[in-house]
């Protein structure tokens, strides 16, 4: 039987943290890319596309992330695609993240007065020109703070990947708990590491919110 | 390819799982909002020390995953001599979680009450308690009601995780069924839609309650 010193526990947890960070970054990049496409679809004047986006958001915001992960993991392998826990986690987190981001960004675009669209139209700007020169520069300023804030949710979401067997921080925490029988210490450390990852982002988001609120 | 008919014989398993989820959700919604309101009131009107404690609680919970909080409470606390059943542990974890989020939400509502309104209540001779309930909390709640209820729904969806400490909720039912008949995809798909239905039903319920609670608006 191997004895785990505090040093072993911490070094193992820190090693696993890399995977949590990597998974978060991958999911966040994937989520923003899909959300960009969805936002474009929503802004287009095609009502069918807009409805699809609404349905997509409703589906992914109305079901637990854990279920989405199970479906990606078991569902795709049932359809014949052998999928690793890592890919299933990235896929489901991407879908989940994009559904929330598209809603957040929608809010940001909708806060801009409608008169701006109308004014741009009067000035003879095309739809894309309006978007590029009038709407997006303003919307992005408003959107940065909540988007950074949501990245905290993504990091916390990666903890669920432990359930489908992806070895990240929470999974290593459970494994260490099984080996050391010191749940109090192990899970307190796991929580602490998550806190150290998330809290700066929360603070940064708050800071951004204040900064842009003043300048507006 | 998909065989949903294999699930039919497990209807009662799904149903009892659904009931556990509903029961826990309703219970923790009430408890969580009570915790959140108290903490928000402390955060707003308490002394420096209690404000600090609430702030630490809120930030700790909001910046760690629910599953880690759950494991900490279920596996960690017994080593301090506090032994909890899975059901109790998940109820506490859910309440603490919702409490922290709703503290922030309710505090935003309290912040939105103009100071003059509170001073006016004082001048009119209302006691602190009367002011708190009638002048501060009711309009504050009305403002943040949509945010608060959607947080409750988020917590309900997050409760899928409690199946990991073997609480027999909806996700646990899905796991059980798929381990019996190996129809993993069908089982999880049906469960996902049950959660979706539950989320929609809860939203409807909260809307109806909201209409009743803030009916005085329409009376004017």
């Amino acid at each position: 039987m191997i004895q785990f010193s505090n040093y072993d526990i911490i070094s193992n947890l820190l090693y696993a943290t890399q995977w949590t960070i990597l998974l978060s970054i991958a999911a966040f990049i994937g989520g923003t890319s899909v959300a960009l496409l969805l936002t474009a679809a929503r802004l287009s004047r095609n009502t069918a596309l807009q409805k699809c986006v609404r349905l997509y958001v409703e589906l992914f915001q109305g079901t637990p992330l854990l279920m989405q992960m199970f479906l990606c993991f078991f569902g795709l392998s049932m359809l014949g695609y052998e999928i690793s826990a890592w890919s299933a986690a990235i896929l489901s987190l991407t879908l989940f993240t994009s559904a929330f981001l598209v809603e957040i960004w929608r809010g940001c675009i909708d806060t801009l007065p409608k008169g701006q669209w109308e004014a741009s139209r009067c000035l003879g700007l095309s739809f894309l020109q309006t978007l590029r020169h009038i709407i997006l520069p303003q919307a992005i300023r408003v959107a940065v703070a909540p988007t950074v804030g949501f990245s905290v949710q993504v990091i916390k979401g990666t903890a669920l990947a432990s359930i489908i067997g992806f070895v990240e921080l929470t999974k290593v925490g459970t494994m260490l708990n099984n080996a050391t029988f010191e749940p109090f210490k192990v899970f307190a450390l796991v929580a602490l590491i998550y806190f150290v990852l998330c809290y700066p982002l929360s603070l940064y988001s708050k800071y951004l919110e204040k900064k842009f609120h003043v300048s507006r | 390819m998909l065989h949903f008919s294999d699930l039919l014989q497990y209807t009662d398993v799904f149903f009892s799982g659904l009931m556990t989820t509903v029961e826990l959700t309703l219970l923790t919604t009430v408890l969580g909002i009570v915790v959140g309101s108290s903490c928000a009131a402390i955060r707003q009107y308490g002394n420096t020390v209690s404000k600090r404690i609430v702030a630490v609680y809120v930030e700790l919970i909001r910046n760690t995953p629910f599953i880690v909080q759950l494991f900490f409470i279920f596996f960690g606390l017994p080593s301090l001599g506090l032994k909890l059943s899975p059901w109790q542990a998940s109820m506490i974890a859910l309440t603490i979680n919702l409490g922290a989020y709703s503290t922030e939400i309710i505090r935003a509502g309290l912040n939105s009450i103009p100071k003059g309104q509170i001073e006016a209540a004082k001048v009119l001779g209302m006691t602190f308690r009367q002011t708190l309930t009638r002048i501060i909390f009711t309009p504050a709640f009305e403002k943040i009601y949509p945010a608060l209820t959607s947080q409750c729904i988020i917590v309900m969806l997050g409760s899928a995780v409690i199946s990991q400490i073997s609480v027999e909720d909806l996700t646990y039912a899905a796991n059980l069924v798929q381990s019996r008949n190996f129809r993993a995809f069908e089982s999880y798909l049906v469960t996902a839609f049950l959660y979706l239905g539950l989320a929609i039903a809860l939203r409807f319920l909260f809307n109806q309650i909201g209409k009743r609670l803030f009916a005085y608006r329409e009376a004017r």
Side-chain angles (χ1 to χ4, degrees), chain A residues 58 61-64 70 74-75 79 156 160 163 183 191 195 202, chain B residues 1 59 62-65 75 101 157 161 164 171 185 188 192 196 203:
Chain A
E58 183 74 20
Q61 289 197 356
T63 54
F70 280 161
F74 295 107
L79 296 176
K156 292 194 293 177
L160 294 187
I163 298 176
F195 185 78
S202 297
Chain B
M1 209 175 79
E59 292 305 333
R62 291 196 345 145
N63 290 294
T64 51
F75 296 118
Y101 280 94
L157 296 174
V161 170
Q164 292 304 306
T171 308
F185 187 67
Y188 290 130
L196 185 63
R203 203 181 304 154

PDB file of all heavy atoms in Angstrom, chain A residues 58 61-64 70 74-75 79 156 160 163 183 191 195 202, chain B residues 1 59 62-65 75 101 157 161 164 171 185 188 192 196 203:
ATOM      1  N   GLU A  58     -33.106  26.794 -25.710  1.00  0.00           N
ATOM      2  CA  GLU A  58     -34.070  26.204 -24.778  1.00  0.00           C
ATOM      3  C   GLU A  58     -33.638  24.795 -24.386  1.00  0.00           C
ATOM      4  O   GLU A  58     -33.666  24.415 -23.218  1.00  0.00           O
ATOM      5  CB  GLU A  58     -35.447  26.186 -25.454  1.00  0.00           C
ATOM      6  CG  GLU A  58     -36.568  25.681 -24.597  1.00  0.00           C
ATOM      7  CD  GLU A  58     -36.982  26.685 -23.532  1.00  0.00           C
ATOM      8  OE1 GLU A  58     -36.673  27.882 -23.687  1.00  0.00           O
ATOM      9  OE2 GLU A  58     -37.593  26.267 -22.560  1.00  0.00           O
ATOM     10  N   GLN A  61     -30.280  24.956 -22.281  1.00  0.00           N
ATOM     11  CA  GLN A  61     -30.404  25.595 -20.974  1.00  0.00           C
ATOM     12  C   GLN A  61     -31.417  24.886 -20.097  1.00  0.00           C
ATOM     13  O   GLN A  61     -31.424  25.089 -18.890  1.00  0.00           O
ATOM     14  CB  GLN A  61     -30.807  27.068 -21.134  1.00  0.00           C
ATOM     15  CG  GLN A  61     -29.701  27.918 -21.697  1.00  0.00           C
ATOM     16  CD  GLN A  61     -29.937  29.393 -21.478  1.00  0.00           C
ATOM     17  OE1 GLN A  61     -30.966  29.804 -20.965  1.00  0.00           O
ATOM     18  NE2 GLN A  61     -28.975  30.194 -21.868  1.00  0.00           N
ATOM     19  N   GLY A  62     -32.252  24.068 -20.708  1.00  0.00           N
ATOM     20  CA  GLY A  62     -33.316  23.430 -19.948  1.00  0.00           C
ATOM     21  C   GLY A  62     -33.009  22.010 -19.527  1.00  0.00           C
ATOM     22  O   GLY A  62     -33.835  21.357 -18.883  1.00  0.00           O
ATOM     23  N   THR A  63     -31.831  21.508 -19.899  1.00  0.00           N
ATOM     24  CA  THR A  63     -31.456  20.157 -19.483  1.00  0.00           C
ATOM     25  C   THR A  63     -30.138  20.225 -18.713  1.00  0.00           C
ATOM     26  O   THR A  63     -29.333  21.115 -18.949  1.00  0.00           O
ATOM     27  CB  THR A  63     -31.289  19.226 -20.696  1.00  0.00           C
ATOM     28  OG1 THR A  63     -30.363  19.826 -21.598  1.00  0.00           O
ATOM     29  CG2 THR A  63     -32.590  18.999 -21.415  1.00  0.00           C
ATOM     30  N   PRO A  64     -29.924  19.295 -17.798  1.00  0.00           N
ATOM     31  CA  PRO A  64     -28.696  19.348 -17.016  1.00  0.00           C
ATOM     32  C   PRO A  64     -27.469  19.087 -17.891  1.00  0.00           C
ATOM     33  O   PRO A  64     -27.524  18.272 -18.812  1.00  0.00           O
ATOM     34  CB  PRO A  64     -28.856  18.216 -16.004  1.00  0.00           C
ATOM     35  CG  PRO A  64     -30.279  17.836 -16.035  1.00  0.00           C
ATOM     36  CD  PRO A  64     -30.788  18.190 -17.384  1.00  0.00           C
ATOM     37  N   PHE A  70     -23.657  12.786 -20.741  1.00  0.00           N
ATOM     38  CA  PHE A  70     -23.993  11.367 -20.897  1.00  0.00           C
ATOM     39  C   PHE A  70     -24.428  11.082 -22.328  1.00  0.00           C
ATOM     40  O   PHE A  70     -24.032  10.078 -22.922  1.00  0.00           O
ATOM     41  CB  PHE A  70     -25.134  10.972 -19.945  1.00  0.00           C
ATOM     42  CG  PHE A  70     -24.691  10.721 -18.536  1.00  0.00           C
ATOM     43  CD1 PHE A  70     -25.603  10.737 -17.495  1.00  0.00           C
ATOM     44  CD2 PHE A  70     -23.362  10.447 -18.247  1.00  0.00           C
ATOM     45  CE1 PHE A  70     -25.191  10.497 -16.192  1.00  0.00           C
ATOM     46  CE2 PHE A  70     -22.949  10.206 -16.944  1.00  0.00           C
ATOM     47  CZ  PHE A  70     -23.865  10.237 -15.917  1.00  0.00           C
ATOM     48  N   PHE A  74     -22.399   8.455 -24.354  1.00  0.00           N
ATOM     49  CA  PHE A  74     -23.018   7.160 -24.673  1.00  0.00           C
ATOM     50  C   PHE A  74     -23.734   7.201 -26.007  1.00  0.00           C
ATOM     51  O   PHE A  74     -23.774   6.203 -26.722  1.00  0.00           O
ATOM     52  CB  PHE A  74     -24.012   6.768 -23.582  1.00  0.00           C
ATOM     53  CG  PHE A  74     -23.370   6.524 -22.252  1.00  0.00           C
ATOM     54  CD1 PHE A  74     -23.514   7.425 -21.226  1.00  0.00           C
ATOM     55  CD2 PHE A  74     -22.609   5.391 -22.044  1.00  0.00           C
ATOM     56  CE1 PHE A  74     -22.909   7.210 -20.005  1.00  0.00           C
ATOM     57  CE2 PHE A  74     -22.008   5.158 -20.821  1.00  0.00           C
ATOM     58  CZ  PHE A  74     -22.154   6.076 -19.802  1.00  0.00           C
ATOM     59  N   GLY A  75     -24.309   8.367 -26.307  1.00  0.00           N
ATOM     60  CA  GLY A  75     -25.118   8.475 -27.513  1.00  0.00           C
ATOM     61  C   GLY A  75     -24.280   8.322 -28.764  1.00  0.00           C
ATOM     62  O   GLY A  75     -24.609   7.528 -29.655  1.00  0.00           O
ATOM     63  N   LEU A  79     -24.154   5.465 -31.810  1.00  0.00           N
ATOM     64  CA  LEU A  79     -24.334   5.715 -33.239  1.00  0.00           C
ATOM     65  C   LEU A  79     -23.129   5.241 -34.045  1.00  0.00           C
ATOM     66  O   LEU A  79     -23.049   5.453 -35.242  1.00  0.00           O
ATOM     67  CB  LEU A  79     -24.560   7.213 -33.486  1.00  0.00           C
ATOM     68  CG  LEU A  79     -25.829   7.794 -32.869  1.00  0.00           C
ATOM     69  CD1 LEU A  79     -25.901   9.293 -33.095  1.00  0.00           C
ATOM     70  CD2 LEU A  79     -27.073   7.132 -33.449  1.00  0.00           C
ATOM     71  N   LYS A 156     -16.307  25.553 -13.734  1.00  0.00           N
ATOM     72  CA  LYS A 156     -17.042  24.714 -12.785  1.00  0.00           C
ATOM     73  C   LYS A 156     -17.718  23.558 -13.507  1.00  0.00           C
ATOM     74  O   LYS A 156     -17.810  22.455 -12.966  1.00  0.00           O
ATOM     75  CB  LYS A 156     -18.067  25.558 -12.035  1.00  0.00           C
ATOM     76  CG  LYS A 156     -17.387  26.550 -11.102  1.00  0.00           C
ATOM     77  CD  LYS A 156     -18.346  27.142 -10.122  1.00  0.00           C
ATOM     78  CE  LYS A 156     -19.361  28.018 -10.819  1.00  0.00           C
ATOM     79  NZ  LYS A 156     -20.357  28.541  -9.886  1.00  0.00           N
ATOM     80  N   LEU A 160     -17.845  18.207 -13.999  1.00  0.00           N
ATOM     81  CA  LEU A 160     -18.759  17.104 -14.294  1.00  0.00           C
ATOM     82  C   LEU A 160     -18.123  16.066 -15.212  1.00  0.00           C
ATOM     83  O   LEU A 160     -18.572  14.919 -15.268  1.00  0.00           O
ATOM     84  CB  LEU A 160     -20.037  17.639 -14.938  1.00  0.00           C
ATOM     85  CG  LEU A 160     -20.906  18.504 -14.042  1.00  0.00           C
ATOM     86  CD1 LEU A 160     -22.204  18.823 -14.734  1.00  0.00           C
ATOM     87  CD2 LEU A 160     -21.182  17.804 -12.734  1.00  0.00           C
ATOM     88  N   ILE A 163     -17.387  12.629 -14.005  1.00  0.00           N
ATOM     89  CA  ILE A 163     -18.405  11.576 -13.892  1.00  0.00           C
ATOM     90  C   ILE A 163     -18.360  10.632 -15.091  1.00  0.00           C
ATOM     91  O   ILE A 163     -18.606   9.435 -14.954  1.00  0.00           O
ATOM     92  CB  ILE A 163     -19.808  12.204 -13.724  1.00  0.00           C
ATOM     93  CG1 ILE A 163     -19.827  13.019 -12.428  1.00  0.00           C
ATOM     94  CG2 ILE A 163     -20.887  11.144 -13.671  1.00  0.00           C
ATOM     95  CD1 ILE A 163     -21.102  13.769 -12.195  1.00  0.00           C
ATOM     96  N   PRO A 183     -11.091  12.524   3.231  1.00  0.00           N
ATOM     97  CA  PRO A 183     -11.952  13.327   2.356  1.00  0.00           C
ATOM     98  C   PRO A 183     -11.947  14.801   2.708  1.00  0.00           C
ATOM     99  O   PRO A 183     -11.992  15.646   1.817  1.00  0.00           O
ATOM    100  CB  PRO A 183     -13.342  12.721   2.564  1.00  0.00           C
ATOM    101  CG  PRO A 183     -13.256  12.000   3.850  1.00  0.00           C
ATOM    102  CD  PRO A 183     -11.858  11.526   3.987  1.00  0.00           C
ATOM    103  N   ALA A 191     -11.475  22.083  -3.648  1.00  0.00           N
ATOM    104  CA  ALA A 191     -12.297  23.293  -3.675  1.00  0.00           C
ATOM    105  C   ALA A 191     -11.411  24.534  -3.723  1.00  0.00           C
ATOM    106  O   ALA A 191     -11.680  25.480  -4.465  1.00  0.00           O
ATOM    107  CB  ALA A 191     -13.212  23.343  -2.453  1.00  0.00           C
ATOM    108  N   PHE A 195     -11.260  27.428  -6.466  1.00  0.00           N
ATOM    109  CA  PHE A 195     -11.473  28.813  -6.050  1.00  0.00           C
ATOM    110  C   PHE A 195     -10.370  29.713  -6.596  1.00  0.00           C
ATOM    111  O   PHE A 195     -10.638  30.800  -7.105  1.00  0.00           O
ATOM    112  CB  PHE A 195     -11.517  28.889  -4.519  1.00  0.00           C
ATOM    113  CG  PHE A 195     -11.861  30.252  -4.000  1.00  0.00           C
ATOM    114  CD1 PHE A 195     -13.171  30.695  -4.011  1.00  0.00           C
ATOM    115  CD2 PHE A 195     -10.885  31.097  -3.529  1.00  0.00           C
ATOM    116  CE1 PHE A 195     -13.497  31.950  -3.555  1.00  0.00           C
ATOM    117  CE2 PHE A 195     -11.202  32.364  -3.066  1.00  0.00           C
ATOM    118  CZ  PHE A 195     -12.509  32.789  -3.075  1.00  0.00           C
ATOM    119  N   SER A 202     -13.783  36.016 -11.556  1.00  0.00           N
ATOM    120  CA  SER A 202     -14.958  36.709 -11.023  1.00  0.00           C
ATOM    121  C   SER A 202     -14.626  38.166 -10.739  1.00  0.00           C
ATOM    122  O   SER A 202     -15.389  39.076 -11.084  1.00  0.00           O
ATOM    123  CB  SER A 202     -15.425  36.063  -9.724  1.00  0.00           C
ATOM    124  OG  SER A 202     -15.837  34.756  -9.944  1.00  0.00           O
TER     125      SER A 202
ATOM    126  N   MET B   1     -33.461   1.327 -34.685  1.00  0.00           N
ATOM    127  CA  MET B   1     -32.193   1.484 -33.970  1.00  0.00           C
ATOM    128  C   MET B   1     -32.435   1.926 -32.517  1.00  0.00           C
ATOM    129  O   MET B   1     -31.802   1.431 -31.601  1.00  0.00           O
ATOM    130  CB  MET B   1     -31.344   2.513 -34.683  1.00  0.00           C
ATOM    131  CG  MET B   1     -29.886   2.268 -34.495  1.00  0.00           C
ATOM    132  SD  MET B   1     -28.926   3.403 -35.473  1.00  0.00           S
ATOM    133  CE  MET B   1     -29.009   4.847 -34.497  1.00  0.00           C
ATOM    134  N   GLU B  59     -18.685  34.122  -1.966  1.00  0.00           N
ATOM    135  CA  GLU B  59     -17.621  33.955  -2.956  1.00  0.00           C
ATOM    136  C   GLU B  59     -17.106  32.517  -2.988  1.00  0.00           C
ATOM    137  O   GLU B  59     -16.813  31.979  -4.054  1.00  0.00           O
ATOM    138  CB  GLU B  59     -16.467  34.929  -2.681  1.00  0.00           C
ATOM    139  CG  GLU B  59     -16.829  36.379  -2.910  1.00  0.00           C
ATOM    140  CD  GLU B  59     -17.375  36.651  -4.308  1.00  0.00           C
ATOM    141  OE1 GLU B  59     -17.041  35.929  -5.256  1.00  0.00           O
ATOM    142  OE2 GLU B  59     -18.167  37.607  -4.443  1.00  0.00           O
ATOM    143  N   ARG B  62     -19.757  30.479  -4.862  1.00  0.00           N
ATOM    144  CA  ARG B  62     -19.928  30.826  -6.280  1.00  0.00           C
ATOM    145  C   ARG B  62     -18.722  30.471  -7.129  1.00  0.00           C
ATOM    146  O   ARG B  62     -18.818  30.395  -8.336  1.00  0.00           O
ATOM    147  CB  ARG B  62     -20.236  32.319  -6.419  1.00  0.00           C
ATOM    148  CG  ARG B  62     -21.599  32.610  -5.868  1.00  0.00           C
ATOM    149  CD  ARG B  62     -22.195  33.911  -6.264  1.00  0.00           C
ATOM    150  NE  ARG B  62     -21.315  34.883  -6.835  1.00  0.00           N
ATOM    151  CZ  ARG B  62     -21.695  35.715  -7.795  1.00  0.00           C
ATOM    152  NH1 ARG B  62     -22.897  35.632  -8.284  1.00  0.00           N
ATOM    153  NH2 ARG B  62     -20.864  36.613  -8.252  1.00  0.00           N
ATOM    154  N   ASN B  63     -17.578  30.277  -6.493  1.00  0.00           N
ATOM    155  CA  ASN B  63     -16.375  30.007  -7.269  1.00  0.00           C
ATOM    156  C   ASN B  63     -15.861  28.581  -7.143  1.00  0.00           C
ATOM    157  O   ASN B  63     -14.702  28.309  -7.445  1.00  0.00           O
ATOM    158  CB  ASN B  63     -15.281  31.008  -6.902  1.00  0.00           C
ATOM    159  CG  ASN B  63     -15.613  32.398  -7.411  1.00  0.00           C
ATOM    160  OD1 ASN B  63     -15.662  32.630  -8.610  1.00  0.00           O
ATOM    161  ND2 ASN B  63     -15.884  33.306  -6.510  1.00  0.00           N
ATOM    162  N   THR B  64     -16.705  27.671  -6.672  1.00  0.00           N
ATOM    163  CA  THR B  64     -16.320  26.254  -6.659  1.00  0.00           C
ATOM    164  C   THR B  64     -17.460  25.443  -7.262  1.00  0.00           C
ATOM    165  O   THR B  64     -18.618  25.838  -7.168  1.00  0.00           O
ATOM    166  CB  THR B  64     -16.047  25.760  -5.227  1.00  0.00           C
ATOM    167  OG1 THR B  64     -17.141  26.115  -4.395  1.00  0.00           O
ATOM    168  CG2 THR B  64     -14.778  26.350  -4.651  1.00  0.00           C
ATOM    169  N   PRO B  65     -17.142  24.313  -7.905  1.00  0.00           N
ATOM    170  CA  PRO B  65     -18.203  23.519  -8.536  1.00  0.00           C
ATOM    171  C   PRO B  65     -19.119  22.890  -7.490  1.00  0.00           C
ATOM    172  O   PRO B  65     -18.668  22.536  -6.396  1.00  0.00           O
ATOM    173  CB  PRO B  65     -17.443  22.425  -9.291  1.00  0.00           C
ATOM    174  CG  PRO B  65     -16.025  22.796  -9.235  1.00  0.00           C
ATOM    175  CD  PRO B  65     -15.826  23.706  -8.097  1.00  0.00           C
ATOM    176  N   PHE B  75     -18.700  13.509   2.026  1.00  0.00           N
ATOM    177  CA  PHE B  75     -17.556  12.680   2.432  1.00  0.00           C
ATOM    178  C   PHE B  75     -16.709  13.351   3.509  1.00  0.00           C
ATOM    179  O   PHE B  75     -16.135  12.683   4.359  1.00  0.00           O
ATOM    180  CB  PHE B  75     -16.661  12.375   1.219  1.00  0.00           C
ATOM    181  CG  PHE B  75     -17.340  11.556   0.163  1.00  0.00           C
ATOM    182  CD1 PHE B  75     -17.524  12.066  -1.109  1.00  0.00           C
ATOM    183  CD2 PHE B  75     -17.787  10.277   0.440  1.00  0.00           C
ATOM    184  CE1 PHE B  75     -18.156  11.317  -2.094  1.00  0.00           C
ATOM    185  CE2 PHE B  75     -18.413   9.515  -0.543  1.00  0.00           C
ATOM    186  CZ  PHE B  75     -18.600  10.043  -1.810  1.00  0.00           C
ATOM    187  N   TYR B 101     -26.080  32.055  -4.263  1.00  0.00           N
ATOM    188  CA  TYR B 101     -26.450  32.762  -5.490  1.00  0.00           C
ATOM    189  C   TYR B 101     -27.579  33.746  -5.225  1.00  0.00           C
ATOM    190  O   TYR B 101     -27.570  34.863  -5.727  1.00  0.00           O
ATOM    191  CB  TYR B 101     -26.845  31.774  -6.591  1.00  0.00           C
ATOM    192  CG  TYR B 101     -25.657  31.159  -7.274  1.00  0.00           C
ATOM    193  CD1 TYR B 101     -25.134  29.951  -6.857  1.00  0.00           C
ATOM    194  CD2 TYR B 101     -25.033  31.811  -8.332  1.00  0.00           C
ATOM    195  CE1 TYR B 101     -24.030  29.390  -7.469  1.00  0.00           C
ATOM    196  CE2 TYR B 101     -23.931  31.263  -8.952  1.00  0.00           C
ATOM    197  CZ  TYR B 101     -23.440  30.047  -8.527  1.00  0.00           C
ATOM    198  OH  TYR B 101     -22.345  29.513  -9.132  1.00  0.00           O
ATOM    199  N   LEU B 157     -31.512  21.884 -12.209  1.00  0.00           N
ATOM    200  CA  LEU B 157     -30.766  21.139 -13.227  1.00  0.00           C
ATOM    201  C   LEU B 157     -29.435  20.650 -12.655  1.00  0.00           C
ATOM    202  O   LEU B 157     -28.991  19.535 -12.943  1.00  0.00           O
ATOM    203  CB  LEU B 157     -30.531  22.012 -14.458  1.00  0.00           C
ATOM    204  CG  LEU B 157     -31.788  22.431 -15.203  1.00  0.00           C
ATOM    205  CD1 LEU B 157     -31.439  23.400 -16.313  1.00  0.00           C
ATOM    206  CD2 LEU B 157     -32.514  21.228 -15.774  1.00  0.00           C
ATOM    207  N   VAL B 161     -26.440  16.072 -10.298  1.00  0.00           N
ATOM    208  CA  VAL B 161     -25.177  15.564  -9.764  1.00  0.00           C
ATOM    209  C   VAL B 161     -25.363  14.724  -8.495  1.00  0.00           C
ATOM    210  O   VAL B 161     -24.557  13.842  -8.211  1.00  0.00           O
ATOM    211  CB  VAL B 161     -24.242  16.773  -9.503  1.00  0.00           C
ATOM    212  CG1 VAL B 161     -23.018  16.378  -8.729  1.00  0.00           C
ATOM    213  CG2 VAL B 161     -23.840  17.398 -10.820  1.00  0.00           C
ATOM    214  N   GLN B 164     -24.675  11.069  -7.885  1.00  0.00           N
ATOM    215  CA  GLN B 164     -23.332  10.546  -7.650  1.00  0.00           C
ATOM    216  C   GLN B 164     -23.113  10.105  -6.214  1.00  0.00           C
ATOM    217  O   GLN B 164     -22.219   9.311  -5.937  1.00  0.00           O
ATOM    218  CB  GLN B 164     -22.269  11.604  -8.028  1.00  0.00           C
ATOM    219  CG  GLN B 164     -22.221  11.874  -9.503  1.00  0.00           C
ATOM    220  CD  GLN B 164     -21.973  10.616 -10.306  1.00  0.00           C
ATOM    221  OE1 GLN B 164     -21.011   9.906 -10.063  1.00  0.00           O
ATOM    222  NE2 GLN B 164     -22.867  10.311 -11.239  1.00  0.00           N
ATOM    223  N   THR B 171     -31.707  11.354 -12.368  1.00  0.00           N
ATOM    224  CA  THR B 171     -30.500  10.871 -13.037  1.00  0.00           C
ATOM    225  C   THR B 171     -30.127   9.471 -12.550  1.00  0.00           C
ATOM    226  O   THR B 171     -29.680   8.625 -13.329  1.00  0.00           O
ATOM    227  CB  THR B 171     -29.332  11.840 -12.776  1.00  0.00           C
ATOM    228  OG1 THR B 171     -29.747  13.143 -13.117  1.00  0.00           O
ATOM    229  CG2 THR B 171     -28.120  11.464 -13.583  1.00  0.00           C
ATOM    230  N   PHE B 185     -28.544   5.381 -24.430  1.00  0.00           N
ATOM    231  CA  PHE B 185     -28.917   6.589 -25.145  1.00  0.00           C
ATOM    232  C   PHE B 185     -30.389   6.928 -24.932  1.00  0.00           C
ATOM    233  O   PHE B 185     -30.744   8.050 -24.595  1.00  0.00           O
ATOM    234  CB  PHE B 185     -28.609   6.426 -26.636  1.00  0.00           C
ATOM    235  CG  PHE B 185     -28.812   7.678 -27.412  1.00  0.00           C
ATOM    236  CD1 PHE B 185     -27.987   8.773 -27.196  1.00  0.00           C
ATOM    237  CD2 PHE B 185     -29.823   7.773 -28.349  1.00  0.00           C
ATOM    238  CE1 PHE B 185     -28.178   9.948 -27.907  1.00  0.00           C
ATOM    239  CE2 PHE B 185     -30.011   8.940 -29.060  1.00  0.00           C
ATOM    240  CZ  PHE B 185     -29.192  10.028 -28.845  1.00  0.00           C
ATOM    241  N   TYR B 188     -31.086   8.109 -21.305  1.00  0.00           N
ATOM    242  CA  TYR B 188     -30.635   9.470 -21.004  1.00  0.00           C
ATOM    243  C   TYR B 188     -31.423  10.509 -21.799  1.00  0.00           C
ATOM    244  O   TYR B 188     -31.665  11.617 -21.319  1.00  0.00           O
ATOM    245  CB  TYR B 188     -29.142   9.618 -21.268  1.00  0.00           C
ATOM    246  CG  TYR B 188     -28.298   8.861 -20.281  1.00  0.00           C
ATOM    247  CD1 TYR B 188     -27.280   8.015 -20.693  1.00  0.00           C
ATOM    248  CD2 TYR B 188     -28.533   8.982 -18.914  1.00  0.00           C
ATOM    249  CE1 TYR B 188     -26.521   7.303 -19.774  1.00  0.00           C
ATOM    250  CE2 TYR B 188     -27.787   8.285 -17.997  1.00  0.00           C
ATOM    251  CZ  TYR B 188     -26.772   7.445 -18.431  1.00  0.00           C
ATOM    252  OH  TYR B 188     -26.028   6.744 -17.521  1.00  0.00           O
ATOM    253  N   ALA B 192     -33.370  13.477 -20.172  1.00  0.00           N
ATOM    254  CA  ALA B 192     -33.092  14.874 -20.523  1.00  0.00           C
ATOM    255  C   ALA B 192     -34.395  15.606 -20.809  1.00  0.00           C
ATOM    256  O   ALA B 192     -34.596  16.735 -20.358  1.00  0.00           O
ATOM    257  CB  ALA B 192     -32.162  14.940 -21.730  1.00  0.00           C
ATOM    258  N   LEU B 196     -36.218  18.765 -19.035  1.00  0.00           N
ATOM    259  CA  LEU B 196     -36.680  19.922 -19.801  1.00  0.00           C
ATOM    260  C   LEU B 196     -38.127  20.246 -19.447  1.00  0.00           C
ATOM    261  O   LEU B 196     -38.482  21.404 -19.199  1.00  0.00           O
ATOM    262  CB  LEU B 196     -36.538  19.640 -21.297  1.00  0.00           C
ATOM    263  CG  LEU B 196     -36.856  20.788 -22.242  1.00  0.00           C
ATOM    264  CD1 LEU B 196     -35.897  21.935 -22.032  1.00  0.00           C
ATOM    265  CD2 LEU B 196     -36.805  20.338 -23.687  1.00  0.00           C
ATOM    266  N   ARG B 203     -40.938  26.932 -14.471  1.00  0.00           N
ATOM    267  CA  ARG B 203     -40.997  28.317 -14.912  1.00  0.00           C
ATOM    268  C   ARG B 203     -42.445  28.800 -14.909  1.00  0.00           C
ATOM    269  O   ARG B 203     -42.746  29.902 -14.458  1.00  0.00           O
ATOM    270  CB  ARG B 203     -40.398  28.439 -16.313  1.00  0.00           C
ATOM    271  CG  ARG B 203     -39.907  29.844 -16.610  1.00  0.00           C
ATOM    272  CD  ARG B 203     -39.348  29.947 -17.998  1.00  0.00           C
ATOM    273  NE  ARG B 203     -38.290  28.992 -18.259  1.00  0.00           N
ATOM    274  CZ  ARG B 203     -37.994  28.551 -19.474  1.00  0.00           C
ATOM    275  NH1 ARG B 203     -38.681  28.956 -20.517  1.00  0.00           N
ATOM    276  NH2 ARG B 203     -37.014  27.692 -19.644  1.00  0.00           N
TER     277      ARG B 203
END
